[in-house]
Amino acid sequence: MRPRTLRARLVAGVLVLLAFACATIGVAASLVLERFMVERLDQQLSMTVGRFAASLEHGEGNARRADSRGQSVGTLGVRFAGGRVTDAAVVASTTVDNTGLTLSDADAAVLAAVPVDGCGHTVELSALDDYRVMSITGADGDVLITGLPLEGVNATVHRLQFGEAVVFAVVMTVAGVAGAIWVRLSLRPLERVAATARRVSTLPLSSGEVALPDRVPDEDPRTEIGQVGAAFNRMLGHVGEALARRHASEQRMRTFAADAGHELRTPLATIRAHVELARRNPGDVPEEVAHALERIDAESSRMGTLVDDLLLLARLDAGRPLARDQVDLTRLVIDATGDARVSGPGHHWRLELPEEPVTLVGDADRLYQVVVNLLGNARAHTPPGTTVTASVRVPDPGRAELTVTDDGPGIPEELQGEIFERFVRADKARSRALGGSGLGLAIVKAVVAAHVGTTAVESRPGRTVFRVTLPISG
Ligand SMILES: Nc1ncnc2c1ncn2[C@@H]1O[C@H](COP(=O)(O)OP(=O)(O)O)[C@@H](O)[C@H]1O
Ligand SMILES: [Mg+2]
């Protein structure tokens, strides 16, 4: 039942404090008033004390004759002699004679207990209401008690309390409503900060160019909320700057890769042409030179592949349009597996294909490269004897799914999240020796993304699955 929002909590807190203040003021006011009125009653008592009670004595046995002149209505007179009540009377009215009163034993005991000190004391009598009484010693040693009713005091105090209750209820209601409105208005800037923060939190900040939302509107920097807003704006500024820099450096990196690819292509082609020429005219070159030429040939063709990969990625980055061929995915997989069988005779190659060919519209060469890269990885990064299964399925009309599964050692857990990034390789030394550049899966991802498809990997020792889904659109 505790209020949740800061707004509700603030209003509740203010109301609790206000209720406490009202209660304190109310209690204090009625105490002060009561005390003041009782003091006045005591003054009145001490002016007349003993007079009425003493007069009772003369009307012995007949209180009607007691002297009630100058006594106000309700005045009580009691005379004790030798510890016993000898006379008791109450002034009924100033015109009519006073009325005799028979006190019960309990009331007599209460009155007898009043200290004989000439000060006011409050007593509760069963025959009458609350009384303020004063007791003195009479001339002949008896005890004379005079009392005045507290009824008027109590009525006034109750009236005050009722008035207070009404006023406080109104004040609390008004304060509650006004407080709620006021707190809402004061916290509005905070809501704006929260809304902006929410918008930022939904942005995909991890990649690409990000447009940050507008800043929080400028607020008074002297208020706490204004400071939060200003700090938040500064933070957004820093984040925006960092993101822009990252984007720029990504852009630079891409441009560099593309430029490097272009620049390398011509000299590489020249080298390969010359090696080709040299090898075609062996003559009587020494063995070592023939071997060196062979190495140059192999390495330059590997470099050619790398340059081609870089250029392909650069083209995909630039968003160049793909070819729109009618592609038979099943055919593609059969061909690529056939090639893999030749280059990886130590592995077991299996195919799982549907009865009907699966066709889709896309770039046949690029898609072929996707399959080749996946199969190539399953061969290069697993030991001979590994079983590799390439399968095509249509899990639902409109989607084709290509999976390449192997029972090799798998990909380290911590690398699986970034395995599709450029130049990411589990075992750099080994895969470089195998001729891998770390671009194969990046190309897979980029080509599939250009076809509006998805790529995924799941891997544990003994089972690695690369899954590619592609839309079959018309
Ligand atoms: N089937 C697989 N089994 C084990 N590791 C793999 C497999 N496929 C890819 N990898 C890991 O992913 C890395 C990245 O693959 P890729 O981008 O094709 O680069 P490359 O093959 O040039 O090294 C590889 O270096 C390898 O460590
Ligand atoms: Mg590879």
Side-chain angles (χ1 to χ4, degrees):
M1 277 307 284
R2 295 218 358 242
R4 295 264 168 83
T5 61
L6 180 60
R7 220 161 49 205
R9 265 194 246 181
L10 284 175
V11 174
V14 165
L15 285 182
V16 167
L17 284 181
L18 195 61
F20 179 70
C22 285
T24 311
I25 291 171
V27 169
S30 44
L31 280 180
V32 166
L33 178 71
E34 185 173 8
R35 204 161 155 180
F36 170 73
M37 292 189 73
V38 167
E39 264 168 25
R40 279 224 331 225
L41 215 56
D42 285 354
Q43 271 171 14
Q44 220 175 316
L45 269 177
S46 58
M47 279 193 303
T48 63
V49 69
R51 219 197 300 154
F52 178 52
S55 74
L56 291 173
E57 172 171 27
H58 308 297
E60 184 120 34
N62 183 2
R64 279 171 186 282
R65 273 188 281 147
D67 181 11
S68 63
R69 279 171 300 154
Q71 309 292 338
S72 51
V73 174
T75 306
L76 165 76
V78 178
R79 182 168 162 263
F80 277 94
R84 265 185 350 97
V85 177
T86 54
D87 306 275
V90 174
V91 177
S93 106
T94 39
T95 51
V96 180
D97 277 343
N98 50 75
T99 326
L101 181 70
T102 320
L103 287 171
S104 68
D105 285 350
D107 286 351
V110 167
L111 286 172
V114 174
V116 190
D117 56 3
C119 295
H121 297 280
T122 299
V123 293
E124 243 177 81
L125 301 175
S126 56
L128 304 158
D129 279 336
D130 293 357
Y131 260 72
R132 190 73 180 169
V133 296
M134 197 175 273
S135 178
I136 55 164
T137 317
D140 46 2
D142 52 1
V143 174
L144 303 175
I145 293 179
T146 311
L148 282 170
L150 278 168
E151 198 186 359
V153 175
N154 289 345
T156 311
V157 170
H158 284 153
R159 225 166 132 166
L160 173 73
Q161 285 168 345
F162 176 73
E164 280 173 347
V166 171
V167 171
F168 291 163
V170 171
V171 166
M172 294 278 290
T173 312
V174 172
V177 172
I181 294 172
W182 188 66
V183 166
R184 177 182 289 261
L185 287 181
S186 313
L187 290 186
R188 188 163 285 173
L190 195 59
E191 271 163 28
R192 281 200 285 268
V193 176
T196 310
R198 255 199 308 277
R199 251 178 293 148
V200 174
S201 70
T202 57
L203 288 178
L205 297 181
S206 57
S207 65
E209 199 171 9
V210 182
L212 289 175
D214 288 345
R215 303 287 183 265
V216 178
D218 252 349
E219 294 292 343
D220 188 349
R222 285 166 301 183
T223 66
E224 287 83 347
I225 297 177
Q227 287 166 13
V228 170
F232 189 78
N233 283 347
R234 273 199 301 281
M235 192 191 76
L236 272 189
H238 293 319
V239 170
E241 206 173 296
L243 289 177
R245 268 198 209 161
R246 188 195 64 188
H247 184 65
S249 95
E250 264 173 21
Q251 267 337 89
R252 259 200 309 279
M253 201 269 279
R254 290 187 173 170
T255 324
F256 168 76
D259 291 350
H262 281 296
E263 295 303 324
L264 286 173
R265 202 142 77 154
T266 323
L268 200 56
T270 315
I271 292 173
R272 294 182 69 180
H274 282 282
V275 172
E276 186 76 41
L277 195 68
R279 289 186 66 193
R280 230 182 278 152
N281 305 296
D284 47 355
V285 290
E287 182 87 2
E288 300 92 85
V289 176
H291 179 69
L293 282 177
E294 211 170 283
R295 292 296 303 133
I296 292 174
D297 191 21
E299 290 302 302
S300 61
S301 84
R302 185 172 137 187
M303 196 168 167
T305 316
L306 174 60
V307 168
D308 287 346
D309 284 353
L310 277 177
L311 287 176
L312 172 58
L313 276 174
R315 268 200 296 279
L316 290 167
D317 280 343
R320 296 269 188 83
L322 298 162
R324 290 182 60 81
D325 315 318
Q326 196 70 32
V327 184
D328 180 351
L329 198 58
T330 2
R331 184 82 248 149
L332 222 72
V333 171
I334 292 170
D335 292 349
T337 314
D339 293 350
R341 213 166 254 140
V342 174
S343 44
H347 287 64
H348 306 296
W349 301 94
R350 292 182 52 222
L351 275 172
E352 275 174 14
L353 301 173
E355 308 272 308
E356 298 287 310
V358 178
T359 54
L360 48 87
V361 177
D363 192 319
D365 293 342
R366 303 281 162 266
L367 289 176
Y368 186 71
Q369 194 165 357
V370 165
V371 186
V372 166
N373 284 3
L374 291 178
L375 291 175
N377 280 348
R379 173 178 51 80
H381 305 294
T382 60
T386 305
T387 304
V388 183
T389 310
S391 85
V392 175
R393 290 195 317 131
V394 181
D396 55 68
R399 233 159 28 105
E401 186 187 81
L402 159 76
T403 54
V404 175
T405 313
D406 69 67
D407 57 1
I411 302 166
E413 183 104 30
E414 66 277 6
L415 229 72
Q416 288 179 21
E418 53 182 61
I419 201 73
F420 289 102
E421 301 295 321
R422 286 159 207 207
F423 301 113
V424 173
R425 288 168 296 183
D427 184 345
K428 292 214 162 133
R430 212 179 91 81
S431 88
R432 196 175 289 125
L434 288 167
S437 58
L439 289 177
L441 289 178
I443 288 176
V444 168
K445 184 177 169 188
V447 170
V448 172
H451 283 84
V452 209
T454 60
T455 35
V457 62
E458 63 193 69
S459 176
R460 55 184 156 82
R463 185 180 154 82
T464 300
V465 186
F466 282 92
R467 181 169 284 117
V468 169
T469 54
L470 293 162
I472 306 174
S473 49

